[in-house]
Amino acid sequence: MSKNAVLLFIPGLREKDVERMPQLRELMAGGEIAQFVPSFPCVTCPVQANMTTGRLPSEHGVVANGFYWRDRGEIEMWTSPSQCIAQPQMWHRLSQHGLSSAVWFLLHSKGCEADYVCTPAPIHNPDGSESLWCYTRPTELYGQLRDTLGHFPLQHFWGPMANIRASAWIADSAVQAARQWRPNLFVIYLPHLDYAAQRSGPESPEADAAVEELDGVVGRLGEQFREAYDEEDLLWLAVGEYAIVPVDHVTYPNRILREAGLLAVREGDDGECLDPVASRAWALVDHQFSHVFVADGDRHVTEQVAALFRGQAGIAEVLVGDGLARYGLNHARSGEVVLVSEPNSWQAYYYWVSDEQAPNWARRVDIHRKPGYDPVELCIDPTTKSIPLDASRMRGSHGAPATDVTQHSVLVASRPAMFAGDPVADTEVFTAVMRHFGIAGA
């Protein structure tokens, strides 16, 4: 039996989607399927860190898709290197046992300890242009991939042009690496189901079409990996990360904080910008939750913020103090207050009073400059050819605690008895992979 394994991270994958994916089912034939329960916050980077470390944010420190570095007064969305993860990951444990690994497109994988790495890391040139580039290990790998596949299609990885081409490039580039190195563990992120489900809703025809498109990519990936490893018995695991649920409501925490006189703005070259340093409180929003950072941890202001949001439309929970520990968010990187949305609602970062005051980059795909996640970047105004400032357009979201089966995704394996039970928690993925490789103490 092969000891090699391929682990697919497919955000938004549900059991009903697997039923419409014949090529994925063929890849997993003879195995098992289980409900997958992500830990709150149910968003990309924390859940991926939970799976790759077997720990919760209170230990590994990935409390959201972005961080506010209080000592520098800087907001960092999506770009933190692997060093922000304060617990050993799968590839570290494997290397201790002489086993190799490859990590493809996990968002905190830049600089990680895996033997082979490929992740988006665009180079911004002095003239303002952008080379479509990836961080790779070895460094020369990206040049090889570019020569055979062309540049990574960053414009199709996120934004209004996001489509199957990005996931197809990721899969094809992984095949090249597999042929060259055959790592014992290959972890691959395929984000395609995220786009239509958020933009049009998880039950939309567009979401159904995305499932079919991704199934084709997975089918080709499976066939080519079997050829690359020269074996039929590779272990395959596919994890849904989180489920996207329908939403019909949006909350604007920063506008509420501004109305209360707690949030400060400053005028910049691009227009009105949120000023985290001058603010007494502001919210780093992330899908269906947000971290509210209170200057100097002021207890009176913290209580004021909590009172502002208790009973607020769209807000299910206001976590303060010991409440953060209930979800494993008791970490120095967390805000003093965490706001949790109702399942049918999500939170937008907007802080301006009128759209005329919005900064220029609010109407652009600019994921690193915005003080929070902006799914509206998946849309475009056909008249202005820019991102509309209309958060009500979004029809799907995720991130709130997975307390209902509709918020569970799925975990599929090509072999039986991989999991201790059903449902499976995200932290159990680490244990299952280590057990497969015969590594004790996981």
Side-chain angles (χ1 to χ4, degrees):
M1 181 179 291
S2 170
K3 274 290 187 182
N4 298 318
V6 185
L7 174 56
L8 305 179
F9 289 170
I10 305 178
L13 182 70
R14 304 163 298 175
E15 187 168 3
K16 64 172 66 177
D17 299 323
V18 174
E19 293 170 359
R20 297 198 304 270
M21 300 178 74
Q23 296 187 70
L24 175 63
R25 293 201 310 275
E26 181 179 354
L27 195 63
M28 303 295 179
E32 63 180 326
I33 186 168
Q35 287 188 62
F36 179 77
V37 184
S39 303
F40 175 74
C42 306
V43 296
T44 303
C45 295
V47 172
Q48 289 184 354
N50 296 345
M51 290 191 287
T52 60
T53 66
R55 300 289 187 268
L56 293 174
S58 57
E59 295 183 73
H60 59 62
V62 182
V63 298
N65 286 317
F67 302 110
Y68 177 49
W69 303 112
R70 300 173 194 252
D71 57 336
R72 305 195 302 266
E74 295 178 0
I75 303 166
E76 189 173 49
M77 290 297 299
W78 304 105
T79 57
S80 296
S82 66
Q83 287 74 16
C84 72
I85 302 177
Q87 290 289 323
Q89 294 181 273
M90 290 176 178
W91 23 97
H92 174 78
R93 294 294 303 276
L94 291 176
S95 68
Q96 293 177 321
H97 293 264
L99 298 169
S100 60
S101 56
V103 178
W104 244 238
F105 276 72
L106 271 65
L107 298 182
H108 285 326
S109 57
K110 185 176 180 180
C112 80
E113 295 175 301
D115 300 273
Y116 313 105
V117 182
C118 185
T119 194
I123 301 298
H124 298 272
N125 301 314
D127 62 0
S129 64
E130 188 173 72
S131 302
L132 301 187
W133 192 260
C134 292
Y135 166 89
T136 60
R137 178 182 299 133
T139 304
E140 62 271 16
L141 173 60
Y142 184 75
Q144 298 170 13
L145 297 174
R146 178 199 58 213
D147 290 344
T148 55
L149 301 174
H151 274 301
F152 171 61
L154 187 64
Q155 71 274 30
H156 301 301
F157 185 63
W158 182 251
M161 297 174 63
N163 61 34
I164 193 61
R165 288 180 58 186
S167 289
W169 194 98
I170 294 169
D172 291 342
S173 63
V175 168
Q176 284 196 209
R179 287 170 175 161
Q180 190 168 356
W181 293 298
R182 296 189 189 184
N184 299 107
L185 174 67
F186 213 126
V187 184
I188 308 171
Y189 177 56
L190 299 174
H192 184 58
L193 300 187
D194 241 4
Y195 311 142
Q198 290 190 69
R199 185 167 44 207
S200 304
E203 308 302 334
S204 65
E206 292 87 349
D208 290 344
V211 169
E212 294 180 9
E213 290 176 325
L214 186 63
D215 191 45
V217 168
V218 170
R220 291 192 300 275
L221 179 69
E223 181 179 347
Q224 291 172 326
F225 257 63
R226 283 192 293 266
E227 294 173 357
Y229 281 85
D230 192 27
E231 57 183 81
E232 294 290 326
D233 197 33
L234 275 173
L235 169 65
W236 288 87
L237 298 167
V239 188
E241 288 197 9
Y242 48 75
I244 296 173
V245 298
V247 293
D248 56 15
H249 181 270
V250 59
T251 306
Y252 302 90
N254 282 316
R255 286 178 171 169
I256 294 170
L257 292 168
R258 184 171 182 175
E259 289 173 6
L262 298 173
L263 181 143
V265 298
R266 66 176 185 273
E267 288 296 328
D269 294 339
D270 280 325
E272 188 179 86
C273 298
L274 187 153
D275 189 337
V277 176
S279 295
R280 295 168 66 199
W282 68 280
L284 180 65
V285 304
D286 198 346
H287 298 79
Q288 291 185 314
F289 76 105
S290 61
H291 287 272
V292 181
F293 295 93
V294 175
D296 301 319
D298 186 290
R299 182 175 177 179
H300 173 74
V301 176
T302 298
E303 293 172 352
Q304 182 183 356
V305 169
L308 271 175
F309 288 97
R310 290 193 181 104
Q312 190 74 230
I315 300 298
E317 293 183 83
V318 178
L319 306 177
V320 185
D322 293 342
L324 276 69
R326 186 165 74 249
Y327 290 109
L329 281 175
N330 48 322
H331 191 278
R333 294 175 185 167
S334 290
E336 280 67 29
V337 181
V338 173
L339 307 176
V340 184
S341 292
E342 296 282 0
N344 71 311
S345 185
W346 68 281
Q347 300 175 38
Y349 81 93
Y350 300 177
Y351 54 83
W352 48 86
V353 177
S354 66
D355 288 350
E356 289 72 24
Q357 297 169 306
N360 297 333
W361 42 256
R363 296 178 173 86
R364 301 196 299 259
V365 176
D366 204 336
I367 64 173
H368 305 310
R369 191 175 303 187
K370 296 177 181 179
Y373 171 67
D374 184 13
V376 188
E377 289 184 340
L378 289 167
C379 306
I380 193 165
D381 186 323
T383 303
T384 63
K385 306 299 183 185
S386 64
I387 305 303
L389 300 181
D390 182 6
S392 67
R393 285 177 175 241
M394 305 315 296
R395 293 290 176 265
S397 191
H398 59 95
T403 57
D404 185 85
V405 292
T406 60
Q407 295 164 297
H408 296 177
S409 56
V410 70
L411 200 163
V412 194
S414 62
R415 293 180 192 165
M418 283 296 301
F419 320 121
D422 183 0
V424 179
D426 52 11
T427 53
E428 295 176 51
V429 173
F430 176 88
T431 305
V433 172
M434 292 302 101
R435 187 168 57 242
H436 167 72
F437 285 106
I439 297 176

